[in-house]
Amino acid sequence: MDLNALLHAFTPSWTSVAMLMAFFTYLAIAGSILPGRVVPGATLSDGTRLHYRCNGSLLLILLISLLGVGGWMDLVSPTAIADRGFELLSTTLIFSLFVTLLLYIAGCRSRDQSSSLKPHITGNLIHDWWFGIQLNPQFIGIDLKFFFVRAGMMGWLLINLSVLAKCIQQVNLSVSMILYQIFCVLYILDYFFYEEYMTSTWDIIAERLGFMLVFGDLVWIPFTFSIQGWWLLNNNVELTTAAIIANCLAFLIGYLVFRGANKQKHIFKKNPKALIWGSPPKVIGGKLLASGYWGIARHSNYLGDLLVALSFSLPCGISSPVPYFYPIYLFILLIWRERRDEARCAQKYKEIWAEYRKLVPWRILPYVY
């Protein structure tokens, strides 16, 4: 592809703008009216709590059903996203920049003193733009942080399904593509099934909404997590039976560790006396869980996440590093985040954290790191 063709492919069109706006409009309207469990978020510093309507599973199923019916009636093309991938990428990036600018302006002008909307301005424009000024900004009653991460996860699935449709259209469906698609579908469905667990994550509780999260949710998640699908669309990979079994095991073990660790943490935060692996939990200083996965490594959920990410790439074989962009990036990110988590926890919990570190010396991978 020459430079002119590449620039043309990345140039946003009104069609890509309409597709993106239709997607966000559906999420905003349907997300507000469809039934779902209303979950209280973490208690903020001023004693208030946000409430989240966790209807992501229903929202996703309805969306896929509507698109399926639309495709069957020839109202929408199943390959529309795959056909306009670069367009949608640039359109979403521009949208993210625009939204971040509005968030920055709104935050600077805010006089609200609540924990959710109180402006945190350092005076460093780049820092405030990147990390955000307000904790939980809203638009027409919609919590934007929760909305954007939901959009990113659903967008990832929509891209994958469109790539799958393109693959079937080209009569190029392989075992590798099927494995990749199954793993991603299971992971994304699991995310929405346990959507309420998102309300207790660091991003929701403590990170302010700036370009880092907006770009990460709307651009990074859907467009980089789907690189393997794009790669398999243009490259044929033959997997041995042993490779298929190993790939499935990597996903299964990673999923069990990732989901199990996050579930234990979420349950502990809701009920510190709840049993962990059938036994009363061991708690350090009345605050830190040291049982289950959290008694094996201080960030065992990161290990599960890395194994799952690796399982997304293994169907692509080892002929190119391109499909391994996601697990490599995630490895670097989680090592950095683990160091940041350690520093924050040491500052927050002080001697309690020191005691926890002595009891659980391993950071992510037991007996290694």
Side-chain angles (χ1 to χ4, degrees):
M1 183 181 291
D2 60 34
L3 181 59
N4 288 333
L6 187 62
L7 290 175
H8 178 73
F10 273 100
T11 302
S13 67
W14 288 113
T15 300
S16 60
V17 172
M19 290 171 65
L20 189 64
M21 291 303 102
F23 176 54
F24 288 143
T25 300
Y26 166 80
L27 292 184
I29 296 175
S32 298
I33 62 178
L34 289 178
R37 183 181 178 188
V38 178
V39 177
T43 302
L44 303 178
S45 59
D46 61 357
T48 61
R49 303 179 78 175
L50 296 182
H51 289 76
Y52 302 90
R53 185 184 296 274
C54 295
N55 55 5
S57 295
L58 183 57
L59 195 63
L60 180 60
I61 292 171
L62 178 60
L63 176 59
I64 299 300
S65 300
L66 289 173
L67 291 175
V69 171
W72 178 68
M73 297 178 66
D74 290 327
L75 297 176
V76 296
S77 170
T79 63
I81 297 175
D83 293 336
R84 297 178 177 272
F86 288 137
E87 273 185 40
L88 287 167
L89 170 59
S90 59
T91 302
T92 309
L93 174 59
I94 293 171
F95 177 80
S96 299
L97 291 167
F98 177 69
V99 167
T100 307
L101 176 62
L102 294 181
L103 288 171
Y104 179 82
I105 294 173
C108 289
R109 292 182 176 181
S110 175
R111 297 295 180 267
D112 199 304
Q113 293 301 304
S114 66
S115 294
S116 289
L117 300 177
K118 181 179 180 180
H120 296 265
I121 302 174
T122 65
N124 184 322
L125 188 148
I126 300 300
H127 179 279
D128 293 340
W129 173 77
W130 179 267
F131 290 105
I133 293 177
Q134 294 177 303
L135 182 62
N136 296 303
Q138 297 185 353
F139 178 69
I140 58 174
I142 297 173
D143 182 83
L144 292 178
K145 196 188 293 184
F146 196 68
F147 178 86
F148 287 152
V149 69
R150 172 182 279 183
M153 294 297 292
M154 288 193 188
W156 177 19
L157 180 60
L158 292 180
I159 291 174
N160 278 354
L161 293 179
S162 187
V163 168
L164 176 62
K166 187 78 171 179
C167 191
I168 294 172
Q169 184 185 74
Q170 296 177 351
V171 195
N172 190 33
L173 186 60
S174 64
V175 173
S176 296
M177 178 65 85
I178 293 172
L179 275 180
Y180 167 71
Q181 293 286 346
I182 289 175
F183 293 156
C184 288
V185 166
L186 290 175
Y187 183 81
I188 295 168
L189 289 178
D190 171 84
Y191 171 87
F192 285 108
F193 185 80
Y194 292 104
E195 189 176 31
E196 69 173 271
Y197 291 5
M198 187 64 191
T199 64
S200 61
T201 61
W202 183 264
D203 285 355
I204 294 294
I205 294 174
E207 295 281 13
R208 295 188 291 276
L209 187 60
F211 182 76
M212 182 181 72
L213 286 187
V214 175
F215 173 82
D217 291 340
L218 297 183
V219 179
W220 194 260
I221 288 177
F223 290 99
T224 64
F225 289 16
S226 58
I227 284 176
Q228 300 93 326
W230 292 105
W231 194 87
L232 287 171
L233 182 62
N234 299 290
N235 295 272
N236 186 35
V237 178
E238 296 294 334
L239 295 177
T240 64
T241 301
I244 293 172
I245 293 173
N247 200 168
C248 292
L249 286 175
F251 176 79
L252 180 61
I253 295 171
Y255 170 77
L256 291 175
V257 174
F258 170 76
R259 176 51 59 210
N262 284 327
K263 187 174 183 179
Q264 287 175 356
K265 179 177 68 174
H266 182 79
I267 291 174
F268 175 74
K269 288 182 177 181
K270 297 294 182 181
N271 179 14
K273 296 183 179 181
L275 299 181
I276 301 294
W277 287 346
S279 302
K282 184 170 185 177
V283 183
I284 305 297
K287 295 181 178 181
L288 299 178
L289 175 64
S291 294
Y293 289 106
W294 302 96
I296 298 175
R298 300 196 296 273
H299 306 277
S300 53
N301 55 327
Y302 290 173
L303 174 61
D305 214 358
L306 287 169
L307 285 174
V308 170
L310 182 62
S311 75
F312 293 158
S313 299
L314 287 175
C316 301
I318 56 174
S319 63
S320 171
V322 173
Y324 289 85
F325 173 82
Y326 173 43
I328 292 172
Y329 145 77
L330 188 64
F331 176 79
I332 296 171
L333 172 70
L334 292 183
I335 292 297
W336 170 76
R337 179 170 283 190
E338 181 269 333
R339 297 294 176 89
R340 189 179 67 164
D341 290 348
E342 290 278 319
R344 285 177 171 173
C345 289
Q347 183 180 22
K348 181 178 180 180
Y349 297 111
K350 297 180 173 56
E351 65 277 359
I352 298 177
W353 184 252
E355 183 180 350
Y356 178 54
R357 289 187 60 179
K358 289 181 180 179
L359 183 65
V360 185
W362 307 110
R363 296 170 180 258
I364 297 177
L365 183 59
Y367 305 104
V368 177
Y369 178 77

